[in-house]
Structures are given as structure tokens and as C-alpha cells.
Amino acid sequence: VSQSRYRGRAILLISGLGQQDAITKAVEILKTYQLRIAEQQEISMAGRLIACFMLELDPAHIDAIGDELLASMKPLGLDVAIDQL
């Protein structure tokens, strides 16, 4: 069994009135950080979007990731929450 090189895990939730383009933008932002997207799920229904990402990452980066995603998602009508597990 191989161990992850990342010391922490977090769950990221993006939700609100949104387009599928927001997921692409979020993934592009996440790719700028040293992390691994362990799992990703999305629901798009009635003009609403809920996306959830399980991340393996350095816990020291959680606030920066959350701040950057919120700044880019808020203008699209989406909210962002990230919690360390």
C-alpha cells in the first residue's frame, strides 16, 4: 500500500446558480496547487450546481485555495466552502 505524499485531506464544495463552465474553471485553479483530486462529484439540476471534491493536499494551503476559489466563483453566482478532514 503506497502512502500519499500529501499530509492532509479536505473536502471542497461549490454550489449555487451556476454553469458547468465553473467546474472547469475550479479544476484549472486547483491544478495550480500541489494537490491531488482524489474524488469528484457533480450534480446539475434546475439551474443549480453542486460540485464536491475530495482533495489530498498540504493543509497549509487550504485557506489560500478557498480564498482563490471564492474570488473566482462568487462573480459566477457560486459559493465555496472547504474543510480539512
Side-chain angles (χ1 to χ4, degrees):
V1 178
S2 66
Q3 287 186 328
S4 172
R5 66 183 177 143
Y6 304 105
R7 297 185 315 236
R9 294 185 330 148
I11 189 164
L12 167 66
L13 178 67
I14 300 171
S15 63
L17 296 172
Q19 318 85 0
Q20 204 61 23
D21 303 5
I23 300 302
T24 303
K25 186 170 187 170
V27 170
E28 288 173 5
I29 291 169
L30 290 172
K31 285 182 178 178
T32 66
Y33 291 89
Q34 290 195 20
L35 57 76
R36 182 174 96 77
I37 299 173
E39 188 176 340
Q40 176 180 343
Q41 299 211 6
E42 306 164 22
I43 297 172
S44 183
M45 186 182 300
R48 309 247 184 241
L49 176 67
I50 300 171
C52 187
F53 298 86
M54 175 71 71
L55 307 175
E56 294 177 354
L57 71 172
D58 180 341
H61 298 153
I62 289 174
D63 288 341
I65 292 168
D67 291 347
E68 185 172 352
L69 282 168
L70 185 59
S72 64
M73 297 291 120
K74 201 68 162 176
L76 302 175
L78 295 163
D79 196 18
V80 173
I82 188 168
D83 285 318
Q84 184 174 353
L85 300 175

